[in-house]
Amino acid sequence: MSLLNVEEITASYGASQALFGVSLTVAPGEVVALMGRNGMGKTTTIRCICRMLPVQSGTIAFDGQVLNRMPSHRAAQLGIGLVPEGRRCFANLTVAENLLAAARSGHWTFDTVSGLFPRLAERRHQSAASLSGGEQQMLAIGRALMTNPRLLILDEATEGLAPIVRQEIWAAVSRLKAETALAILVVDKSLKELRAVADRAVIVQRGEQVWSGAMDALTDDLTDRYLGV
Ligand code: ATP
């Protein structure tokens, strides 16, 4: 059964409508890729799920509870962990302080997050500002995990990172999939890596869902049509 159930949502920025009907589900243990070219509505969909943008119509339900009018901090408390685009951390706090500031009780602690990303333990006393881009991304994922979410949302987590660091991030996502019951929703442009880790994909185009299905049903024809440049 799905943990997150988004049905036909619409949303606007002021007078400009950005979503015209997006639906998706994510079940525990499942990785779902939300795909589409630039500016098609992926981040907007995530903002709606995390309650940072009002939903005009349609329904967002999490574990059977309708979130449409819930404030974002309540959605986070329910178990939605967001790794936002741009890997926001507290620049002046140390790695350990960043992680501990996000902590809620559960499996994910400083030690278990360090097991996933050993570099965070090595850098525990350094300020977040002094980390490399890849390390900051690990810290952003670690912060989201420290809230002990049931749904983890990764928005462009590998963007702008060196190939070797991207591989580390993907390896961590694969481990989360294999070793936990987290539901994972991922927005990323790395088609090859998404093919390896995601179970299903949802494609949006100009704010509308145009395709959804199993990852292995996503043919080259479809990627050319909806994701090609
Ligand atoms: P990208 O890969 O470039 O991040 P995206 O698929 O995540 O793209 P969105 O950021 O969701 O796309 O943008 C969807 C539409 O909403 C675009 O037309 C964009 O210009 C518009 N939009 C996004 N954020 C805002 C905002 N804060 N104010 C007004 N319009 C916005």
Side-chain angles (χ1 to χ4, degrees), residues 114-160:
S114 298
L116 187 66
F117 294 121
R119 275 207 258 170
L120 294 182
E122 290 163 24
R123 308 249 187 275
R124 62 189 296 166
H125 300 303
Q126 282 182 225
S127 72
S130 71
L131 300 179
S132 69
E135 289 162 353
Q136 284 183 15
Q137 187 62 66
M138 292 171 198
L139 181 55
I141 297 172
R143 277 179 54 80
L145 289 173
M146 289 292 284
T147 68
N148 278 287
R150 287 191 285 165
L151 169 69
L152 181 69
I153 302 179
L154 299 165
D155 193 359
E156 304 277 11
T158 66
E159 193 172 33

mmCIF file of all heavy atoms in Angstrom, residues 114-160:
data_model
loop_
_atom_site.group_PDB
_atom_site.id
_atom_site.type_symbol
_atom_site.label_atom_id
_atom_site.label_comp_id
_atom_site.label_asym_id
_atom_site.label_seq_id
_atom_site.Cartn_x
_atom_site.Cartn_y
_atom_site.Cartn_z
ATOM 1 N N SER A 114 26.703 8.415 10.023
ATOM 2 C CA SER A 114 28.142 8.318 9.745
ATOM 3 C C SER A 114 28.484 6.994 9.078
ATOM 4 O O SER A 114 29.440 6.905 8.297
ATOM 5 C CB SER A 114 28.950 8.441 11.039
ATOM 6 O OG SER A 114 28.718 9.691 11.612
ATOM 7 N N GLY A 115 27.712 5.951 9.383
ATOM 8 C CA GLY A 115 27.916 4.661 8.726
ATOM 9 C C GLY A 115 27.602 4.752 7.240
ATOM 10 O O GLY A 115 28.256 4.118 6.411
ATOM 11 N N LEU A 116 26.596 5.559 6.912
ATOM 12 C CA LEU A 116 26.212 5.731 5.505
ATOM 13 C C LEU A 116 27.213 6.650 4.792
ATOM 14 O O LEU A 116 27.582 6.408 3.648
ATOM 15 C CB LEU A 116 24.794 6.323 5.440
ATOM 16 C CG LEU A 116 24.139 6.418 4.069
ATOM 17 C CD1 LEU A 116 23.868 5.016 3.504
ATOM 18 C CD2 LEU A 116 22.812 7.198 4.160
ATOM 19 N N PHE A 117 27.619 7.700 5.484
ATOM 20 C CA PHE A 117 28.564 8.676 4.913
ATOM 21 C C PHE A 117 29.738 8.862 5.887
ATOM 22 O O PHE A 117 29.742 9.820 6.681
ATOM 23 C CB PHE A 117 27.878 10.031 4.696
ATOM 24 C CG PHE A 117 26.787 10.034 3.670
ATOM 25 C CD1 PHE A 117 25.491 10.417 4.024
ATOM 26 C CD2 PHE A 117 27.038 9.683 2.349
ATOM 27 C CE1 PHE A 117 24.475 10.439 3.074
ATOM 28 C CE2 PHE A 117 26.024 9.695 1.393
ATOM 29 C CZ PHE A 117 24.740 10.075 1.758
ATOM 30 N N PRO A 118 30.742 7.981 5.826
ATOM 31 C CA PRO A 118 31.856 8.063 6.791
ATOM 32 C C PRO A 118 32.548 9.421 6.786
ATOM 33 O O PRO A 118 33.091 9.850 7.812
ATOM 34 C CB PRO A 118 32.807 6.958 6.319
ATOM 35 C CG PRO A 118 31.938 6.001 5.563
ATOM 36 C CD PRO A 118 30.852 6.821 4.937
ATOM 37 N N ARG A 119 32.501 10.119 5.644
ATOM 38 C CA ARG A 119 33.174 11.430 5.584
ATOM 39 C C ARG A 119 32.558 12.437 6.534
ATOM 40 O O ARG A 119 33.212 13.383 6.961
ATOM 41 C CB ARG A 119 33.114 11.961 4.176
ATOM 42 C CG ARG A 119 34.279 11.376 3.394
ATOM 43 C CD ARG A 119 34.645 12.288 2.308
ATOM 44 N NE ARG A 119 34.104 11.755 1.082
ATOM 45 C CZ ARG A 119 34.087 12.440 -0.050
ATOM 46 N NH1 ARG A 119 34.520 13.682 -0.067
ATOM 47 N NH2 ARG A 119 33.628 11.888 -1.130
ATOM 48 N N LEU A 120 31.291 12.264 6.863
ATOM 49 C CA LEU A 120 30.659 13.207 7.797
ATOM 50 C C LEU A 120 31.242 13.031 9.195
ATOM 51 O O LEU A 120 31.405 14.002 9.938
ATOM 52 C CB LEU A 120 29.142 13.018 7.810
ATOM 53 C CG LEU A 120 28.428 13.378 6.501
ATOM 54 C CD1 LEU A 120 26.921 13.204 6.663
ATOM 55 C CD2 LEU A 120 28.758 14.804 6.055
ATOM 56 N N ALA A 121 31.571 11.804 9.552
ATOM 57 C CA ALA A 121 32.193 11.575 10.860
ATOM 58 C C ALA A 121 33.602 12.174 10.884
ATOM 59 O O ALA A 121 34.004 12.814 11.858
ATOM 60 C CB ALA A 121 32.241 10.082 11.165
ATOM 61 N N GLU A 122 34.339 11.972 9.768
ATOM 62 C CA GLU A 122 35.695 12.549 9.702
ATOM 63 C C GLU A 122 35.668 14.070 9.829
ATOM 64 O O GLU A 122 36.584 14.682 10.355
ATOM 65 C CB GLU A 122 36.351 12.210 8.353
ATOM 66 C CG GLU A 122 36.718 10.746 8.200
ATOM 67 C CD GLU A 122 36.971 10.395 6.740
ATOM 68 O OE1 GLU A 122 37.301 11.297 5.939
ATOM 69 O OE2 GLU A 122 36.813 9.196 6.397
ATOM 70 N N ARG A 123 34.600 14.674 9.323
ATOM 71 C CA ARG A 123 34.531 16.144 9.295
ATOM 72 C C ARG A 123 33.622 16.706 10.390
ATOM 73 O O ARG A 123 33.179 17.839 10.303
ATOM 74 C CB ARG A 123 33.959 16.605 7.946
ATOM 75 C CG ARG A 123 34.649 16.039 6.728
ATOM 76 C CD ARG A 123 35.398 17.124 6.008
ATOM 77 N NE ARG A 123 35.952 16.670 4.752
ATOM 78 C CZ ARG A 123 37.118 16.044 4.623
ATOM 79 N NH1 ARG A 123 37.826 15.758 5.698
ATOM 80 N NH2 ARG A 123 37.566 15.691 3.445
ATOM 81 N N ARG A 124 33.333 15.927 11.380
ATOM 82 C CA ARG A 124 32.291 16.295 12.348
ATOM 83 C C ARG A 124 32.507 17.659 13.020
ATOM 84 O O ARG A 124 31.544 18.333 13.356
ATOM 85 C CB ARG A 124 32.129 15.204 13.416
ATOM 86 C CG ARG A 124 33.387 14.979 14.256
ATOM 87 C CD ARG A 124 33.248 13.761 15.139
ATOM 88 N NE ARG A 124 32.177 13.929 16.120
ATOM 89 C CZ ARG A 124 31.668 12.955 16.836
ATOM 90 N NH1 ARG A 124 32.089 11.722 16.668
ATOM 91 N NH2 ARG A 124 30.748 13.188 17.731
ATOM 92 N N HIS A 125 33.761 18.045 13.213
ATOM 93 C CA HIS A 125 34.028 19.317 13.900
ATOM 94 C C HIS A 125 34.209 20.491 12.947
ATOM 95 O O HIS A 125 34.429 21.623 13.379
ATOM 96 C CB HIS A 125 35.261 19.185 14.806
ATOM 97 C CG HIS A 125 35.080 18.138 15.862
ATOM 98 N ND1 HIS A 125 34.036 18.172 16.760
ATOM 99 C CD2 HIS A 125 35.780 16.998 16.134
ATOM 100 C CE1 HIS A 125 34.109 17.111 17.552
ATOM 101 N NE2 HIS A 125 35.148 16.381 17.188
ATOM 102 N N GLN A 126 34.140 20.226 11.638
ATOM 103 C CA GLN A 126 34.296 21.331 10.665
ATOM 104 C C GLN A 126 32.958 22.031 10.446
ATOM 105 O O GLN A 126 31.897 21.418 10.560
ATOM 106 C CB GLN A 126 34.740 20.766 9.313
ATOM 107 C CG GLN A 126 36.205 20.431 9.257
ATOM 108 C CD GLN A 126 36.601 19.918 7.886
ATOM 109 O OE1 GLN A 126 37.324 18.931 7.803
ATOM 110 N NE2 GLN A 126 36.148 20.550 6.820
ATOM 111 N N SER A 127 33.034 23.314 10.068
ATOM 112 C CA SER A 127 31.792 24.019 9.759
ATOM 113 C C SER A 127 31.268 23.511 8.418
ATOM 114 O O SER A 127 32.043 23.093 7.547
ATOM 115 C CB SER A 127 32.037 25.528 9.683
ATOM 116 O OG SER A 127 32.751 25.831 8.507
ATOM 117 N N ALA A 128 29.953 23.570 8.266
ATOM 118 C CA ALA A 128 29.338 23.114 7.017
ATOM 119 C C ALA A 128 29.883 23.927 5.840
ATOM 120 O O ALA A 128 30.076 23.396 4.745
ATOM 121 C CB ALA A 128 27.823 23.241 7.101
ATOM 122 N N ALA A 129 30.155 25.211 6.098
ATOM 123 C CA ALA A 129 30.639 26.089 5.023
ATOM 124 C C ALA A 129 31.974 25.620 4.460
ATOM 125 O O ALA A 129 32.299 25.901 3.312
ATOM 126 C CB ALA A 129 30.764 27.520 5.544
ATOM 127 N N SER A 130 32.766 24.890 5.265
ATOM 128 C CA SER A 130 34.096 24.479 4.809
ATOM 129 C C SER A 130 34.075 23.165 4.031
ATOM 130 O O SER A 130 35.098 22.698 3.557
ATOM 131 C CB SER A 130 35.037 24.338 6.020
ATOM 132 O OG SER A 130 34.669 23.195 6.771
ATOM 133 N N LEU A 131 32.904 22.557 3.892
ATOM 134 C CA LEU A 131 32.818 21.274 3.186
ATOM 135 C C LEU A 131 32.789 21.466 1.678
ATOM 136 O O LEU A 131 32.362 22.510 1.179
ATOM 137 C CB LEU A 131 31.527 20.539 3.592
ATOM 138 C CG LEU A 131 31.327 20.194 5.070
ATOM 139 C CD1 LEU A 131 29.987 19.497 5.255
ATOM 140 C CD2 LEU A 131 32.465 19.318 5.584
ATOM 141 N N SER A 132 33.193 20.406 0.968
ATOM 142 C CA SER A 132 33.057 20.419 -0.493
ATOM 143 C C SER A 132 31.567 20.296 -0.840
ATOM 144 O O SER A 132 30.735 19.953 0.024
ATOM 145 C CB SER A 132 33.811 19.241 -1.100
ATOM 146 O OG SER A 132 33.147 18.040 -0.762
ATOM 147 N N GLY A 133 31.235 20.559 -2.107
ATOM 148 C CA GLY A 133 29.841 20.450 -2.535
ATOM 149 C C GLY A 133 29.257 19.056 -2.268
ATOM 150 O O GLY A 133 28.132 18.915 -1.815
ATOM 151 N N GLY A 134 30.055 18.043 -2.538
ATOM 152 C CA GLY A 134 29.596 16.665 -2.329
ATOM 153 C C GLY A 134 29.361 16.373 -0.861
ATOM 154 O O GLY A 134 28.377 15.735 -0.481
ATOM 155 N N GLU A 135 30.285 16.863 -0.027
ATOM 156 C CA GLU A 135 30.125 16.648 1.418
ATOM 157 C C GLU A 135 28.902 17.405 1.947
ATOM 158 O O GLU A 135 28.186 16.912 2.815
ATOM 159 C CB GLU A 135 31.397 17.086 2.147
ATOM 160 C CG GLU A 135 32.567 16.151 1.901
ATOM 161 C CD GLU A 135 33.922 16.750 2.228
ATOM 162 O OE1 GLU A 135 34.003 17.974 2.538
ATOM 163 O OE2 GLU A 135 34.913 16.015 2.147
ATOM 164 N N GLN A 136 28.677 18.601 1.407
ATOM 165 C CA GLN A 136 27.480 19.351 1.823
ATOM 166 C C GLN A 136 26.215 18.593 1.428
ATOM 167 O O GLN A 136 25.223 18.591 2.153
ATOM 168 C CB GLN A 136 27.469 20.741 1.195
ATOM 169 C CG GLN A 136 28.449 21.675 1.882
ATOM 170 C CD GLN A 136 28.415 23.089 1.319
ATOM 171 O OE1 GLN A 136 27.496 23.474 0.611
ATOM 172 N NE2 GLN A 136 29.424 23.861 1.640
ATOM 173 N N GLN A 137 26.263 17.940 0.262
ATOM 174 C CA GLN A 137 25.096 17.154 -0.151
ATOM 175 C C GLN A 137 24.891 15.967 0.784
ATOM 176 O O GLN A 137 23.767 15.643 1.164
ATOM 177 C CB GLN A 137 25.276 16.662 -1.588
ATOM 178 C CG GLN A 137 24.043 15.980 -2.151
ATOM 179 C CD GLN A 137 22.857 16.920 -2.228
ATOM 180 O OE1 GLN A 137 22.861 17.881 -2.978
ATOM 181 N NE2 GLN A 137 21.834 16.664 -1.421
ATOM 182 N N MET A 138 25.980 15.312 1.169
ATOM 183 C CA MET A 138 25.875 14.208 2.129
ATOM 184 C C MET A 138 25.288 14.715 3.441
ATOM 185 O O MET A 138 24.457 14.055 4.060
ATOM 186 C CB MET A 138 27.257 13.588 2.380
ATOM 187 C CG MET A 138 27.806 12.858 1.175
ATOM 188 S SD MET A 138 29.540 12.384 1.428
ATOM 189 C CE MET A 138 30.022 12.065 -0.272
ATOM 190 N N LEU A 139 25.723 15.903 3.839
ATOM 191 C CA LEU A 139 25.220 16.482 5.086
ATOM 192 C C LEU A 139 23.718 16.784 4.964
ATOM 193 O O LEU A 139 22.941 16.526 5.893
ATOM 194 C CB LEU A 139 26.002 17.757 5.433
ATOM 195 C CG LEU A 139 25.612 18.469 6.718
ATOM 196 C CD1 LEU A 139 25.684 17.538 7.935
ATOM 197 C CD2 LEU A 139 26.507 19.703 6.952
ATOM 198 N N ALA A 140 23.307 17.298 3.802
ATOM 199 C CA ALA A 140 21.883 17.597 3.607
ATOM 200 C C ALA A 140 21.055 16.309 3.666
ATOM 201 O O ALA A 140 19.967 16.283 4.270
ATOM 202 C CB ALA A 140 21.676 18.309 2.271
ATOM 203 N N ILE A 141 21.568 15.238 3.084
ATOM 204 C CA ILE A 141 20.846 13.956 3.151
ATOM 205 C C ILE A 141 20.860 13.442 4.591
ATOM 206 O O ILE A 141 19.835 12.976 5.109
ATOM 207 C CB ILE A 141 21.472 12.917 2.186
ATOM 208 C CG1 ILE A 141 21.343 13.397 0.734
ATOM 209 C CG2 ILE A 141 20.808 11.552 2.362
ATOM 210 C CD1 ILE A 141 22.082 12.551 -0.291
ATOM 211 N N GLY A 142 22.020 13.579 5.237
ATOM 212 C CA GLY A 142 22.121 13.159 6.638
ATOM 213 C C GLY A 142 21.139 13.906 7.518
ATOM 214 O O GLY A 142 20.488 13.315 8.392
ATOM 215 N N ARG A 143 21.002 15.202 7.289
ATOM 216 C CA ARG A 143 20.050 16.000 8.089
ATOM 217 C C ARG A 143 18.619 15.492 7.900
ATOM 218 O O ARG A 143 17.853 15.390 8.860
ATOM 219 C CB ARG A 143 20.124 17.480 7.680
ATOM 220 C CG ARG A 143 21.240 18.249 8.351
ATOM 221 C CD ARG A 143 21.277 19.704 7.876
ATOM 222 N NE ARG A 143 19.990 20.370 8.045
ATOM 223 C CZ ARG A 143 19.541 20.876 9.198
ATOM 224 N NH1 ARG A 143 20.280 20.806 10.277
ATOM 225 N NH2 ARG A 143 18.371 21.467 9.257
ATOM 226 N N ALA A 144 18.270 15.204 6.661
ATOM 227 C CA ALA A 144 16.916 14.706 6.415
ATOM 228 C C ALA A 144 16.723 13.344 7.099
ATOM 229 O O ALA A 144 15.668 13.077 7.687
ATOM 230 C CB ALA A 144 16.658 14.605 4.913
ATOM 231 N N LEU A 145 17.746 12.494 7.037
ATOM 232 C CA LEU A 145 17.622 11.174 7.679
ATOM 233 C C LEU A 145 17.511 11.301 9.195
ATOM 234 O O LEU A 145 16.805 10.519 9.841
ATOM 235 C CB LEU A 145 18.819 10.292 7.313
ATOM 236 C CG LEU A 145 18.862 9.804 5.859
ATOM 237 C CD1 LEU A 145 20.178 9.093 5.580
ATOM 238 C CD2 LEU A 145 17.676 8.885 5.552
ATOM 239 N N MET A 146 18.221 12.281 9.767
ATOM 240 C CA MET A 146 18.186 12.470 11.229
ATOM 241 C C MET A 146 16.780 12.769 11.747
ATOM 242 O O MET A 146 16.501 12.601 12.930
ATOM 243 C CB MET A 146 19.124 13.613 11.644
ATOM 244 C CG MET A 146 20.602 13.314 11.524
ATOM 245 S SD MET A 146 21.248 12.082 12.670
ATOM 246 C CE MET A 146 21.329 12.995 14.215
ATOM 247 N N THR A 147 15.895 13.242 10.859
ATOM 248 C CA THR A 147 14.507 13.474 11.291
ATOM 249 C C THR A 147 13.728 12.147 11.330
ATOM 250 O O THR A 147 12.564 12.125 11.662
ATOM 251 C CB THR A 147 13.763 14.458 10.357
ATOM 252 O OG1 THR A 147 13.563 13.837 9.070
ATOM 253 C CG2 THR A 147 14.529 15.761 10.171
ATOM 254 N N ASN A 148 14.409 11.071 10.941
ATOM 255 C CA ASN A 148 13.795 9.741 10.902
ATOM 256 C C ASN A 148 12.475 9.739 10.139
ATOM 257 O O ASN A 148 11.421 9.380 10.675
ATOM 258 C CB ASN A 148 13.665 9.179 12.315
ATOM 259 C CG ASN A 148 14.989 8.569 12.746
ATOM 260 O OD1 ASN A 148 15.378 7.499 12.273
ATOM 261 N ND2 ASN A 148 15.725 9.280 13.587
ATOM 262 N N PRO A 149 12.568 10.123 8.849
ATOM 263 C CA PRO A 149 11.358 10.199 8.031
ATOM 264 C C PRO A 149 10.911 8.809 7.576
ATOM 265 O O PRO A 149 11.671 7.835 7.664
ATOM 266 C CB PRO A 149 11.829 11.012 6.817
ATOM 267 C CG PRO A 149 13.269 10.625 6.661
ATOM 268 C CD PRO A 149 13.787 10.431 8.063
ATOM 269 N N ARG A 150 9.692 8.759 7.077
ATOM 270 C CA ARG A 150 9.231 7.529 6.409
ATOM 271 C C ARG A 150 9.296 7.708 4.898
ATOM 272 O O ARG A 150 9.362 6.765 4.153
ATOM 273 C CB ARG A 150 7.812 7.197 6.857
ATOM 274 C CG ARG A 150 7.804 6.662 8.280
ATOM 275 C CD ARG A 150 6.474 6.088 8.630
ATOM 276 N NE ARG A 150 5.506 7.136 8.874
ATOM 277 C CZ ARG A 150 4.198 6.929 8.912
ATOM 278 N NH1 ARG A 150 3.708 5.738 8.686
ATOM 279 N NH2 ARG A 150 3.381 7.934 9.166
ATOM 280 N N LEU A 151 9.229 8.983 4.470
ATOM 281 C CA LEU A 151 9.387 9.317 3.057
ATOM 282 C C LEU A 151 10.564 10.275 2.934
ATOM 283 O O LEU A 151 10.619 11.284 3.641
ATOM 284 C CB LEU A 151 8.114 10.005 2.532
ATOM 285 C CG LEU A 151 8.205 10.661 1.147
ATOM 286 C CD1 LEU A 151 8.352 9.610 0.049
ATOM 287 C CD2 LEU A 151 6.963 11.521 0.878
ATOM 288 N N LEU A 152 11.507 9.936 2.075
ATOM 289 C CA LEU A 152 12.657 10.814 1.822
ATOM 290 C C LEU A 152 12.523 11.358 0.405
ATOM 291 O O LEU A 152 12.329 10.589 -0.546
ATOM 292 C CB LEU A 152 13.961 10.014 1.951
ATOM 293 C CG LEU A 152 15.263 10.799 1.748
ATOM 294 C CD1 LEU A 152 15.499 11.768 2.905
ATOM 295 C CD2 LEU A 152 16.460 9.841 1.614
ATOM 296 N N ILE A 153 12.597 12.684 0.281
ATOM 297 C CA ILE A 153 12.485 13.311 -1.037
ATOM 298 C C ILE A 153 13.817 13.965 -1.374
ATOM 299 O O ILE A 153 14.321 14.802 -0.620
ATOM 300 C CB ILE A 153 11.363 14.374 -1.050
ATOM 301 C CG1 ILE A 153 10.021 13.730 -0.661
ATOM 302 C CG2 ILE A 153 11.270 15.033 -2.420
ATOM 303 C CD1 ILE A 153 8.857 14.699 -0.614
ATOM 304 N N LEU A 154 14.393 13.563 -2.504
ATOM 305 C CA LEU A 154 15.685 14.107 -2.936
ATOM 306 C C LEU A 154 15.465 14.940 -4.186
ATOM 307 O O LEU A 154 15.082 14.408 -5.225
ATOM 308 C CB LEU A 154 16.646 12.960 -3.274
ATOM 309 C CG LEU A 154 16.995 11.984 -2.146
ATOM 310 C CD1 LEU A 154 17.630 10.721 -2.714
ATOM 311 C CD2 LEU A 154 17.947 12.641 -1.164
ATOM 312 N N ASP A 155 15.695 16.252 -4.081
ATOM 313 C CA ASP A 155 15.496 17.137 -5.235
ATOM 314 C C ASP A 155 16.863 17.523 -5.792
ATOM 315 O O ASP A 155 17.575 18.329 -5.203
ATOM 316 C CB ASP A 155 14.697 18.381 -4.818
ATOM 317 C CG ASP A 155 14.197 19.171 -6.036
ATOM 318 O OD1 ASP A 155 14.490 18.759 -7.177
ATOM 319 O OD2 ASP A 155 13.513 20.194 -5.839
ATOM 320 N N GLU A 156 17.204 16.937 -6.932
ATOM 321 C CA GLU A 156 18.473 17.233 -7.631
ATOM 322 C C GLU A 156 19.675 17.060 -6.710
ATOM 323 O O GLU A 156 20.543 17.937 -6.639
ATOM 324 C CB GLU A 156 18.454 18.671 -8.180
ATOM 325 C CG GLU A 156 17.287 18.981 -9.089
ATOM 326 C CD GLU A 156 17.486 18.541 -10.529
ATOM 327 O OE1 GLU A 156 18.450 17.797 -10.801
ATOM 328 O OE2 GLU A 156 16.660 18.928 -11.381
ATOM 329 N N ALA A 157 19.740 15.912 -6.056
ATOM 330 C CA ALA A 157 20.798 15.689 -5.066
ATOM 331 C C ALA A 157 22.180 15.523 -5.679
ATOM 332 O O ALA A 157 23.180 15.656 -4.979
ATOM 333 C CB ALA A 157 20.461 14.470 -4.203
ATOM 334 N N THR A 158 22.260 15.201 -6.968
ATOM 335 C CA THR A 158 23.595 14.987 -7.543
ATOM 336 C C THR A 158 24.006 16.107 -8.496
ATOM 337 O O THR A 158 25.078 16.048 -9.088
ATOM 338 C CB THR A 158 23.673 13.643 -8.310
ATOM 339 O OG1 THR A 158 22.814 13.702 -9.460
ATOM 340 C CG2 THR A 158 23.267 12.478 -7.427
ATOM 341 N N GLU A 159 23.146 17.117 -8.601
ATOM 342 C CA GLU A 159 23.419 18.186 -9.565
ATOM 343 C C GLU A 159 24.717 18.929 -9.225
ATOM 344 O O GLU A 159 24.963 19.297 -8.085
ATOM 345 C CB GLU A 159 22.257 19.177 -9.586
ATOM 346 C CG GLU A 159 22.333 20.099 -10.768
ATOM 347 C CD GLU A 159 21.088 20.962 -10.894
ATOM 348 O OE1 GLU A 159 20.505 21.324 -9.860
ATOM 349 O OE2 GLU A 159 20.718 21.269 -12.038
ATOM 350 N N GLY A 160 25.536 19.130 -10.241
ATOM 351 C CA GLY A 160 26.752 19.925 -10.081
ATOM 352 C C GLY A 160 27.877 19.224 -9.348
ATOM 353 O O GLY A 160 28.883 19.849 -9.031
#
